[in-house]
Amino acid sequence: MLGQVLVLSAEDVRNAVPMSTAIDAVRDSFRELAAGNFVLPPRQIFGDGAVLVMSAYHSPTGTAVVKKIGIALDQVPAIRATVIWTGAGEQLVADGGSITTLRTGAVVGVATDLLARADAIRLTVIGTGAQAPDQVRAVLAVRPITDVTITGRSLDRATALARALAAEFPEVRFTPTTDVEASIATTNIICCATSSSTPLFEADALPVEVHINAIGAFRPTMRELPRALFTTSTVVVDQREAALEESGEVIDAVESGTLDSLIELGPALSDPPAPTARTVFKSVGIGCQDWAIAAALAGIRC
């Protein structure tokens, strides 16, 4: 690739980086982040979150990634993005939408592997948008899931997604529904992937023991999780600074005095938190995740 620009489509990204590879790459990137080997400038936000620009520089390899994202929640796809990865004499331009969903799924795989019970077999995904399939793929890559419930506002969309995933994972039973409370009542793992501005469920509706991933709310005005959940849960975030600036549920919980302790994912990989019945992973997405997938495309390891 020296001296030339490699341009990759969404299909190219998918073919080159399967979910298991993405999870390993993202896990390594968070270890590198904890070691101080990334420079992560604050995310630039334009037009009330309609346009985002993220970047990351990996000091040991001298490589960097920049991603421009356009978000229109009333359109399909909601996310349109381009990723540029560059090194010494090397440059890669790739479809950013596929990288975004892949790296978001991958970080959920990393967190689920760290926090969810090892024998978890039931998964509930709330949301039927572009992020949902990679949430399923990631959790199935790290836990022996046998039953997945796809929960959405539209039963038709939930059914269509369940059928598509059932074709990909024929050994798993997929059930579509619009009933959030019923879908979470006996589950082991929940993935929230919506653009909701209000909590998707009440804390009392959850099982006593459950792991929850929340990746949909990326603005201070958005919330997927109820405030009461934070009083009894171990809470892990991708990056403390980013969560306190962008996660509506984390900001609300901290300001209300409900939450006083945030654990960052990178350090937790080396020093796991003491197990509790309920665990939460909240991600708003940071640049080292995009770098991890782009570096995997370029054949670079941490």
Side-chain angles (χ1 to χ4, degrees):
M1 197 170 66
L2 187 64
Q4 60 181 330
V5 178
L6 180 63
V7 180
L8 300 176
S9 66
E11 183 178 4
D12 294 330
V13 171
R14 292 291 176 178
N15 289 339
V17 185
M19 182 57 74
S20 58
T21 300
I23 290 172
D24 289 343
V26 169
R27 183 185 290 112
D28 288 346
S29 77
F30 272 88
R31 289 188 172 125
E32 288 289 286
L33 177 64
N37 290 333
F38 273 104
V39 177
L40 295 180
R43 177 170 15 207
Q44 294 178 284
I45 303 174
F46 305 101
D48 194 27
V51 177
L52 310 176
V53 178
M54 303 169 63
S55 58
Y57 174 73
H58 186 239
S59 303
T61 59
T63 58
V65 68
V66 176
K67 181 171 72 173
K68 187 278 294 179
I69 313 166
I71 301 174
L73 297 176
D74 58 345
Q75 298 179 14
V76 179
I79 297 174
R80 293 176 172 84
T82 302
V83 167
I84 301 174
W85 183 93
T86 184
E90 303 172 333
Q91 186 163 281
L92 178 153
V93 179
D95 173 73
S98 57
I99 288 179
T100 298
T101 57
L102 181 58
R103 60 85 147 156
T104 305
V107 77
V108 160
V110 173
T112 299
D113 198 28
L114 175 70
L115 299 169
R117 54 187 292 175
D119 60 351
I121 60 171
R122 293 182 295 276
L123 166 66
T124 295
V125 176
I126 304 176
T128 58
Q131 295 279 9
D134 278 325
Q135 297 293 295
V136 174
R137 294 178 185 119
V139 175
L140 265 60
V142 299
R143 287 296 182 268
I145 301 297
T146 60
D147 291 270
V148 177
T149 301
I150 304 294
T151 308
R153 290 177 297 179
S154 164
L155 184 58
D156 288 343
R157 291 190 62 176
T159 300
L161 178 56
R163 286 175 177 167
L165 288 167
E168 187 174 344
F169 300 99
E171 71 282 5
V172 178
R173 182 174 68 177
F174 289 86
T175 304
T177 184
T178 59
D179 190 333
V180 173
E181 287 201 2
S183 72
I184 65 175
T186 60
T187 197
N188 304 128
I189 300 170
I190 300 170
C191 290
C192 303
T194 76
S195 58
S196 181
S197 59
T198 57
L200 300 172
F201 46 78
E202 296 296 332
D204 290 345
L206 292 165
V208 172
E209 184 176 0
V210 66
H211 171 64
I212 302 167
N213 301 299
I215 61 92
F218 58 92
R219 297 171 181 165
T221 55
M222 301 168 73
R223 287 176 63 190
E224 293 184 299
L225 306 180
R227 179 187 296 175
L229 174 62
F230 293 97
T231 63
T232 58
S233 302
T234 297
V235 182
V236 176
V237 296
D238 43 16
Q239 187 187 50
R240 184 178 289 106
E241 180 183 4
L244 291 172
E245 288 183 0
E246 300 173 25
S247 169
E249 49 264 280
V250 169
I251 294 169
D252 173 76
V254 170
E255 290 182 346
S256 67
T258 305
L259 176 63
D260 57 11
S261 178
L262 289 174
I263 300 169
E264 291 192 324
L265 180 59
L269 293 172
S270 300
D271 184 19
T276 56
R278 290 179 177 174
T279 53
V280 173
F281 174 62
K282 174 58 197 175
S283 175
V284 294
I286 55 178
C288 69
Q289 298 168 240
D290 299 303
W291 180 91
I293 304 303
L297 289 167
I300 301 294
R301 292 296 302 272
C302 293

